[in-house]
Amino acid sequence: MRFALSDERRGFARSLDDLLGDAGVPAASRRWADGDSGPGLEIWRRLAEMGVSALRVPEAHGGLGAEPADVVVAFEALGRHLVPGPYIESVVLAPPLLASAGGGPSLDDLAAGTAIVTAAAPPMAPLALDAHVAHAVLVLDGSGLSAAERGEARTSVDRSRRLFEARPAGAPARLDPAVAAGALDAAVLACSAQLLGAGERALATAVEYAGSRRQFGRVIGEYQAVKHALADVRVALDFARPLVYGAAVSLGEGSPDAGRDVSAAKAATSEAAHLAARTALQTHGAIGYTEEYDLGLWITKIRALATAWGTPAFHRARVLAAVTAATG
Amino acid sequence: MNLDLDDRERAFRDEARAWLAEHVPASPLPNMDTAEGFEAHREWEAVLAAGRWSVVSWPAAYLGRDASLLEWVLFEEEYYRAGGPARVAQNGISLLAPILFEYGTPEQRERYLRPMADGTEIWAQAWSEPEAGSDLAALRATAARDEARGGWVLNGQKTWSSRAAFAHRGFGLFRSDPSARRHKGLTYFLFPLDAEGVTVRPIPKLDGHPGFAEIFFEDVFVPDADVLGAPGDGWRVAMSTAGNERGLSLRAPGRFCAAADRLLTLWKERGAGSAALGERVADAWIAAQAYRLYTFATLARIERGESVGADGSVNKIFWSELDVRLHETALALLGAEAELRGAGAPCDGAWMDGYLFALSGPIYAGTNEIQRNIVAERVLGLPRGDR
Ligand SMILES: Cc1cc2nc3c(=O)[nH]c(=O)nc-3n(C[C@H](O)[C@H](O)[C@H](O)COP(=O)(O)OP(=O)(O)OC[C@H]3O[C@@H](n4cnc5c(N)ncnc54)[C@H](O)[C@@H]3O)c2cc1C
């Protein structure tokens, strides 16, 4: 048993952190929210150069055919740095669907990052994220996959998530249900990883702030009420992380428990990241509540991702159904 | 990255499972914090030792199996899944033995480890004092040098010493250099609880049983042979056990996973219909699973040569709160019957008994407030500030 990231994957995480740390992501995210997707798409291009868009595309089409654990590493970094764009849809969900159903943009273009796909997958993801930058919009309904037209725009609490209704055009292609289910589970897992990364960043930001902001003649991080709240966030994130990696292992091995494990990861990361966001806001006081301070970008992102790709209640119900069926 | 067992590990697990299926008592033993239950649990320790399952991670020379940490975790999983009794020898095995292996003399190891492993001698930890709880370094019990007899004379009082009401021996810290400050000048002693000058006064716990005790020392002589580690070095020696207590060695995931499985059974019998309770049951199961996977990740870190350090405090906060949560969820499922204990209560009151025990988890082994301080300062790097 070896339940730890390989050196290679840690190296991948570090390179992503280096790239995104220098890329001015929060500014790009604000521009994305205002309708200027230029800087965000430039980040898309640079991530594609590092192989992110190729992760789930089969090697025959220029992809990496990577494991779910690689996806987790990448999406944790995307969450940590707040990268805007339909990454879950284009990088994780679309490749296996298009590989199975054919049609749509070529897998080679997906791998290269030159084609961007978004998708709605009701009921977990009823709207298509960022359809304005996508070359194709898909709707996955059960195991039916349709090309779709971009409909009306809807507004998210996270202004960098531009959501659209998706209207299926034409009869759906029937997919192998196992392919559809596996793709959805991978999307939920990627969303969990993103939540984990976003939660880590909210905690790090709060710890940094608590170490510098002074009130009553001391830095606020000396106050035990602040310390304990932040320690609880550390505990919550530390115990959400192994569920994410455990689910990646299950999914990678095609285990019959994969759906259960992915749902456990999503429920736990939603809770942990939510606690991180609330605590980070409280630690900052009013400045955290302002539009111009970047922390708010993570707070609203976490709030949106907590219910994207299945609410915690949905995923808990799925876990409960699976584990009660399993015990005698 | 994988969670697969190798052949040796699988064989080990299967052997443990088969042995436990045959040997675990069919009906629960009486509570180990009663005189009768204490003896019954000691007999069980002897049965475990005869099968070489009482201390699997110890060297074979001391009744162990040289099992790896992972194998120990697997054993614990099997143990709790099989419904194995609480371990009356636990304080000795998990808190004292690691430091006997690290700091003990060959004679001390020879003398103490085997009787500890087979339940012949049960040990109690005597650290806390009435005025030294969280602030353990404030302890006042003294050890005065007695050159003539080649040893030390202990005086003072210890308290909350688990199992001490019935145990045979104790280990604890005493102030051997009154001029040294706080963490300095402390010495670690081993002593019999029936020694001349020792008085043990049992204290009933919340559940009514004498689960811990006060210990009074009046001119109790301890020979040099029973000093553990160097005189004056007691704090450092003791802190190496404190890490054990918070970290892995006290709480393998097995007990929480087994409790989560029992909770699912209870949910099936009693729960259906309440979505809100269903969410709590799912959360409890998820948290137990998280603890299990976290443990495997910790094992991988240890194997890579990393030390776990202050992350032991992260771990302690989580398991102690998980235990309370699991039991509170079960009590919620039991509804109005939850308050019943003993015969006639649902599951003979096992959930309420477990709940009462779980309530002490956030207090012992260093309260969770103290653990949060450690996490904030040593894991997150927040400033220590004035105390
Ligand atoms: C079931 C059980 C078994 C035990 N077994 C043993 C045993 O075998 N051997 C042994 O030696 N001891 C044992 N103990 C004692 C245990 O280690 C102590 O209870 C514990 O260290 C806390 O000390 P205290 O009870 O004196 O509480 P106090 O230290 O008085 O604490 C009271 C409250 O104040 C808080 N507090 C104290 N200091 C701080 C601070 N700096 N910051 C924030 N909050 C603070 C605490 O968190 C707690 O909430 C046992 C306790 C229990 C409940």
Side-chain angles (χ1 to χ4, degrees):
Chain A
M1 174 185 301
R2 176 57 64 82
F3 191 56
L5 281 184
S6 62
D7 291 343
E8 215 180 348
R9 286 194 178 120
R10 290 154 174 261
F12 182 44
R14 256 193 313 276
S15 342
L16 289 171
D17 274 334
D18 289 347
L19 169 75
L20 294 171
D22 294 338
V25 185
S29 177
R30 291 176 186 284
R31 299 269 291 276
W32 189 278
D34 293 340
D36 173 6
S37 43
L41 291 175
E42 172 58 17
I43 293 170
W44 185 288
R45 198 185 57 72
R46 288 163 68 184
L47 285 169
E49 274 171 14
M50 289 197 56
V52 169
S53 53
L55 284 170
R56 294 299 274 168
V57 176
E59 285 165 82
H61 292 278
L64 298 170
E67 301 270 314
D70 300 297
V71 172
V72 164
V73 168
F75 277 78
E76 193 179 336
L78 296 181
R80 201 157 45 236
H81 294 278
L82 198 74
V83 181
Y87 285 87
I88 293 178
E89 295 74 5
S90 200
V91 175
V92 182
L93 185 73
L97 301 183
L98 294 179
S100 177
S106 82
L107 290 168
D108 297 74
D109 289 341
L110 268 188
T114 47
I116 297 177
V117 174
T118 189
M124 282 205 287
L127 299 168
L129 179 67
D130 297 327
H132 64 300
V133 300
H135 302 97
V137 180
L138 305 175
V139 171
L140 177 64
D141 206 340
S143 51
L145 181 70
S146 328
E149 279 163 15
R150 156 153 65 111
E152 228 170 290
R154 309 275 293 274
T155 308
S156 167
V157 60
D158 173 4
R159 299 203 308 117
S160 74
R161 282 170 61 85
R162 296 168 66 92
L163 294 166
F164 295 87
E165 287 174 4
R167 287 193 229 96
R174 288 280 143 218
L175 295 175
D176 176 350
V179 170
L184 275 177
D185 279 340
V188 174
L189 180 65
C191 186
S192 307
Q194 227 174 325
L195 275 162
L196 190 61
E200 285 290 352
R201 182 59 172 268
L203 174 61
T205 305
V207 166
E208 200 182 314
Y209 189 76
S212 62
R213 168 74 172 165
R214 299 182 73 85
Q215 287 293 284
F216 301 100
R218 334 169 160 192
V219 295
I220 57 171
E222 286 184 21
Y223 294 113
Q224 211 169 43
V226 174
K227 278 186 177 153
H228 286 196
L230 292 171
D232 281 336
V233 177
R234 178 70 279 150
V235 173
L237 290 168
D238 273 358
F239 282 88
R241 171 167 289 100
L243 289 166
V244 175
Y245 285 107
V249 171
S250 292
L251 203 56
E253 290 175 348
S255 155
D257 295 329
R260 174 199 76 182
D261 293 347
V262 163
S263 283
K266 180 63 165 67
T269 51
S270 297
E271 292 296 343
H274 177 67
L275 183 68
R278 280 286 322 268
T279 308
L281 173 58
Q282 194 66 23
T283 304
H284 279 78
I287 193 171
Y289 199 71
T290 61
E291 220 276 308
E292 66 254 46
Y293 193 75
D294 285 347
L295 178 67
L297 302 176
W298 273 275
I299 292 172
T300 49
K301 172 79 73 196
I302 287 169
R303 187 52 254 185
L305 292 182
T307 47
W309 297 101
T311 63
F314 172 90
H315 287 293
R316 288 192 188 103
R318 191 168 174 224
V319 168
L320 191 59
V323 293
T324 46
T327 52
Chain B
M1 184 158 63
N2 67 66
L3 287 159
D4 304 330
L5 302 182
D6 67 23
D7 289 345
R8 184 192 133 135
E9 289 152 358
R10 208 166 310 120
F12 175 92
R13 184 198 59 192
D14 293 347
E15 190 188 344
R17 184 177 296 174
W19 188 90
L20 288 163
E22 205 172 311
H23 291 86
V24 166
S27 50
L29 303 180
N31 189 307
M32 71 178 174
D33 291 330
T34 60
E36 176 203 10
F38 183 82
E39 283 314 315
H41 280 76
R42 237 155 58 84
E43 280 165 29
W44 167 244
E45 292 290 326
V47 173
L48 270 175
R52 291 227 166 200
W53 293 108
S54 69
V55 285
V56 294
S57 61
W58 292 13
Y62 296 107
L63 302 183
R65 288 175 176 251
D66 288 304
S68 68
L69 266 178
L70 171 58
E71 285 169 334
W72 172 72
V73 170
L74 297 175
F75 171 74
E76 294 276 304
E77 259 177 23
E78 294 304 325
Y79 188 84
Y80 286 101
R81 185 177 297 149
R87 298 289 305 273
V88 71
Q90 181 173 31
N91 280 345
I93 289 170
S94 67
L95 303 180
L96 176 57
I99 55 170
L100 273 175
F101 281 116
E102 193 175 342
Y103 298 93
T105 62
E107 293 73 31
Q108 286 171 339
R109 291 200 281 269
E110 269 314 297
R111 196 142 46 103
Y112 293 130
L113 287 170
R114 267 181 291 265
M116 184 191 294
D118 68 11
T120 316
E121 283 181 351
I122 301 297
W123 288 80
Q125 180 196 40
W127 288 14
S128 303
E129 296 183 9
E131 301 302 325
S134 299
D135 186 11
L136 183 62
L139 64 87
R140 295 180 185 166
T142 59
R145 186 69 198 149
D146 184 337
E147 269 323 328
R149 283 190 284 174
W152 301 79
V153 177
L154 308 184
N155 275 289
Q157 181 190 350
K158 296 287 178 179
T159 190
W160 315 131
S161 190
S162 292
R163 309 286 97 70
F166 308 107
H168 309 93
R169 305 188 66 90
F171 55 95
L173 286 173
F174 291 77
R175 197 164 289 287
S176 51
D177 178 356
S179 66
R181 289 201 55 224
R182 286 179 55 86
H183 306 79
K184 302 265 164 24
L186 303 178
T187 300
Y188 204 119
F189 291 96
L190 310 176
F191 47 84
L193 284 170
D194 60 358
E196 174 90 34
V198 171
T199 309
V200 176
R201 192 182 72 82
I203 309 172
K205 294 189 299 183
L206 214 52
D207 66 4
H209 298 302
F212 41 30
E214 292 177 299
I215 311 174
F216 299 90
F217 298 82
E218 260 177 281
D219 294 329
V220 176
F221 178 75
V222 178
D224 285 334
D226 280 335
V227 171
L228 185 48
D233 199 28
W235 186 259
R236 196 169 63 93
V237 175
M239 284 310 111
S240 64
T241 19
N244 285 323
E245 194 174 9
R246 284 166 205 160
L248 259 187
S249 73
L250 195 61
R251 289 293 175 266
R255 64 195 290 152
F256 306 115
C257 292
D261 283 345
R262 288 199 306 277
L263 183 63
L264 289 174
T265 307
L266 189 64
W267 160 256
K268 285 204 269 193
E269 288 164 13
R270 305 242 179 182
S274 167
L277 279 175
E279 290 213 23
R280 287 174 64 182
V281 172
D283 268 340
W285 184 88
I286 290 170
Q289 186 69 3
Y291 189 66
R292 178 167 182 267
L293 292 166
Y294 179 93
T295 301
F296 292 145
T298 301
L299 295 182
R301 286 175 59 186
I302 293 172
E303 195 186 80
R304 260 204 318 262
E306 283 176 38
S307 77
V308 172
D311 283 347
S313 295
V314 173
N315 196 54
K316 197 265 162 165
I317 295 168
F318 191 81
W319 68 247
S320 56
E321 291 184 352
L322 165 61
D323 205 18
V324 175
R325 185 143 47 117
L326 277 163
H327 285 88
E328 277 180 345
T329 307
L331 296 181
L333 285 170
L334 293 177
E337 275 187 292
E339 71 167 302
L340 300 176
R341 289 182 69 196
C347 314
D348 290 330
W351 283 112
M352 182 52 86
D353 288 348
Y355 171 71
L356 289 176
F357 178 68
L359 284 182
S360 66
I363 299 172
Y364 68 79
T367 69
N368 284 6
E369 287 72 26
I370 298 299
Q371 307 308 321
R372 286 186 178 96
N373 288 344
I374 295 173
V375 172
E377 291 162 14
R378 309 233 303 264
V379 179
L380 297 178
L382 287 166
R384 191 160 191 281
D386 298 335
R387 287 271 169 78

